Amino acid sequence: MSTESQGDSTRYYFISDLHIGGDETLQEVEFMDELLAFLRELEASDEDAELIVNGDAFGLWEFTELEGMAKFDALLERYPELFEQLRKTGERIPITFIPGNHDYELACHAEYVDRLAEYNVTLEQEVVITREVADREIWIEHGQQRDPNNESPDFGNPYANPPGYYVNRHITSRAGRLSKRGKFNWLKDIQSVTPTTQIPDWLVSQYFYREMSPLLRYAAVPFLLLFQVSVLYLLAVVLDAVGVWSLPDAVVTFVLTRLSVVGTLIDFVLVVNAVVIAVLAILAVPLFFLVRDVRRTLDRFGLIGGDDPEDTNDRYLDAAQGVFDAHPEVAVFVYGHTHRASVTEVDDRVVVNTGTWLRRLHRKPVVLGLIPHVFYPSYRLNYVCISEADGSVVVEYEVIPKPDPADLTLLERLLARRGRVNQSIPERTSVDGERPTVYQSERSDDDVAVSGENADG
């Protein structure tokens, strides 16, 4: 663990999880203009500062056709403006990278230290580093070592790859190579689906709204929308057939008759759905045992379960509490990895998640029926600044405005409401040895970014 504080830096800027690089469509960087502008602002500032990228600056795991330093050469070739700006900004303030899981190779080869130094970037090949501020310390990590699927069993060993490496190499990277073959270029966004247990649901959603034949999709919509209503319709028919209660069926028949041709069509849909429901009811018992067995198998392989956002958040809060207990001098615990930005008070300290600059996808259910979920996209291009003010440690959370993607299909816009997609995060939190104090208003992405009505793809 490195504990060296660089120079007289008094303001520390943090970003993470840029995931720059990868095969084919994964090399597209939708936030490059904003990133370059951010680096230029740091270059033009006159403050004592340090920029720390706490993991996953690059998507080295996503290069499957290149090995070793050829990956770095590819980054230089594809993003010359970025590296030139790093060089310029690094002449003004220190820039420090630490490895994440997606760029774990940075921890394994000394050549990366030398190559990045050519662009005024200091690479610290450590799991954890610290910085001093206001006679306290900032604990800085990426967070992959808290994740069983992405923890390197022997940090620094290039052959000690965790399970997540193989998932990215065989699934995420392949998705990047195949994405343009679809009717829409959507498959590349698989790296934006978190938690990963939502990937099957996301694939069903994207197939339904983007790849399915339009004729088949729009023919299926009324059946899917009225599926739940059909359950009530079947119940009314059964109650009438057994002589328990005939009124519901009589009311439904009366209403449908009054609707003429439309009523006839609705009646047809309800009858078809009722038959399907009856068949499913007969198959329910064997299906129950089959589904349970499949879920147990998927759970053994780690493909479901254990990735609930709340469980993940608790895992990192518990880890931070352990650090605070073992190191009373630590005032702020900084991590990334989960792509969910947050600033959380823990007793008299603060836990910061630096989020991601990738687009994020938010699962929203439709209003009615069995229509697949809609996944709304948004951006949260954020950075955190930690500094000293009047003897206190101050944590400032900032968002760089960027319009949300506007690529929902018409059907998605009609079936689901966007609603709020991001939690509020305090703009400023002060740690002075007592309970952290939150200043100013709490703000969400929706307050600072221009939201596209058409979002997600």
Side-chain angles (χ1 to χ4, degrees):
M1 181 178 73
S2 172
T3 59
E4 178 185 359
S5 178
Q6 299 212 2
D8 297 322
S9 298
T10 57
R11 293 176 65 82
Y12 300 97
Y13 289 87
F14 296 90
I15 60 176
S16 72
D17 295 271
L18 306 177
H19 293 256
I20 295 172
D23 292 338
E24 299 194 26
T25 56
L26 294 180
Q27 66 185 272
E28 300 172 8
V29 181
E30 297 175 326
F31 52 81
M32 183 60 76
D33 290 343
E34 290 82 4
L35 178 58
L36 292 173
F38 173 65
L39 292 173
R40 292 186 187 112
E41 288 183 11
L42 293 178
E43 177 193 5
S45 70
D46 59 358
E47 60 189 9
D48 292 325
E50 178 182 1
L51 171 63
I52 299 176
V53 182
N54 53 299
D56 283 356
F58 305 123
L60 299 182
W61 270 359
E62 284 72 25
F63 285 106
T64 61
E65 299 175 350
L66 299 174
E67 296 294 337
M69 298 308 297
K71 296 183 180 183
F72 191 78
D73 293 334
L75 291 172
L76 292 176
E77 179 181 352
R78 294 173 183 176
Y79 313 107
E81 191 174 5
L82 170 62
F83 282 91
E84 181 58 29
Q85 188 56 54
L86 285 171
R87 189 202 305 273
K88 293 179 179 178
T89 303
E91 291 174 352
R92 170 67 188 84
I93 66 170
I95 301 175
T96 301
F97 284 12
I98 64 172
N101 53 306
H102 286 262
D103 54 11
Y104 170 65
E105 291 175 47
L106 296 181
C108 303
H109 305 286
E111 293 91 336
Y112 278 113
V113 176
D114 298 332
R115 296 294 298 276
L116 284 168
E118 295 174 9
Y119 298 91
N120 295 321
V121 174
T122 299
L123 171 62
E124 297 201 32
Q125 295 175 307
E126 305 284 349
V127 177
V128 175
I129 63 175
T130 64
R131 294 293 184 265
E132 184 176 334
V133 59
D135 296 324
R136 306 288 295 276
E137 284 191 355
I138 310 169
W139 180 282
I140 306 154
E141 62 179 54
H142 180 62
Q144 77 274 20
Q145 73 272 23
R146 319 284 182 184
D147 178 357
N149 290 322
N150 289 288
E151 176 188 10
S152 298
D154 181 15
F155 189 79
N157 181 346
Y159 303 105
N161 290 305
Y165 166 79
Y166 300 99
V167 172
N168 277 272
R169 187 173 183 86
H170 297 294
I171 297 179
T172 306
S173 296
R174 185 166 181 80
R177 295 196 300 272
L178 298 178
S179 187
K180 288 185 177 180
R181 297 186 185 182
K183 295 179 180 179
F184 296 83
N185 186 15
W186 57 270
L187 193 57
K188 63 181 176 60
D189 294 328
I190 190 172
Q191 61 184 338
S192 298
V193 184
T194 56
T196 54
T197 49
Q198 291 185 3
I199 288 178
D201 197 9
W202 174 74
L203 290 172
V204 170
S205 173
Q206 299 308 289
Y207 166 74
F208 182 80
Y209 293 112
R210 284 165 170 73
E211 299 298 330
M212 181 181 282
S213 164
L215 180 62
L216 180 59
R217 177 169 56 247
Y218 285 101
V221 164
F223 292 93
L224 296 173
L225 282 176
L226 292 175
F227 197 85
Q228 292 170 341
V229 176
S230 300
V231 175
L232 300 177
Y233 174 76
L234 179 61
L235 178 61
V237 171
V238 171
L239 290 175
D240 182 47
V242 298
V244 174
W245 193 16
S246 61
L247 180 60
D249 187 49
V251 170
V252 171
T253 301
F254 173 77
V255 172
L256 293 179
T257 301
R258 300 285 291 181
L259 292 176
S260 187
V261 176
V262 174
T264 302
L265 292 175
I266 294 176
D267 185 50
F268 172 74
V269 172
L270 292 176
V271 169
V272 172
N273 279 350
V275 172
V276 172
I277 293 169
V279 173
L280 290 177
I282 296 173
L283 297 175
V285 174
L287 283 175
F288 169 78
F289 290 104
L290 175 62
V291 170
R292 186 176 68 172
D293 189 69
V294 170
R295 286 183 61 85
R296 287 177 175 175
T297 301
L298 293 176
D299 185 52
R300 284 198 302 272
F301 283 95
L303 298 177
I304 63 172
D307 204 10
D308 180 82
E310 292 301 322
D311 293 341
T312 301
N313 185 57
D314 290 343
R315 179 196 308 157
Y316 284 94
L317 293 181
D318 290 342
Q321 186 65 68
V323 169
F324 295 150
D325 292 342
H327 303 275
E329 71 279 6
V330 174
V332 184
F333 179 99
V334 177
Y335 73 103
H337 185 58
T338 68
H339 295 191
R340 290 185 285 274
S342 63
V343 176
T344 307
E345 302 172 20
V346 176
D347 296 331
D348 59 342
R349 328 285 181 88
V350 173
V351 179
V352 174
N353 186 306
T354 44
T356 181
W357 283 40
L358 295 173
R359 72 162 63 190
R360 294 198 58 209
L361 300 177
H362 311 265
R363 183 175 62 180
K364 297 291 181 179
V366 298
V367 178
L368 183 67
L370 295 180
I371 299 289
H373 291 85
V374 172
F375 282 77
Y376 283 94
S378 71
Y379 290 110
R380 177 173 259 174
L381 310 187
N382 49 224
Y383 64 90
V384 173
C385 179
I386 301 179
S387 60
E388 177 181 357
D390 299 324
S392 299
V393 179
V394 175
V395 178
E396 297 171 277
Y397 175 81
E398 297 290 341
V399 174
I400 299 172
K402 181 176 179 62
D404 289 341
D407 50 12
L408 277 185
T409 65
L410 175 61
L411 183 59
E412 287 173 300
R413 299 198 304 272
L414 291 175
L415 292 178
R417 295 180 58 191
R418 180 178 186 276
R420 189 175 219 172
V421 296
N422 287 304
Q423 67 181 47
S424 296
I425 296 177
E427 296 179 28
R428 190 170 186 267
T429 305
S430 177
V431 184
D432 56 10
E434 299 177 357
R435 187 171 183 81
T437 305
V438 176
Y439 297 89
Q440 303 179 9
S441 60
E442 292 193 349
R443 174 183 63 188
S444 74
D445 290 359
D446 300 326
D447 300 322
V448 296
V450 179
S451 297
E453 282 295 320
N454 305 347
D456 188 337

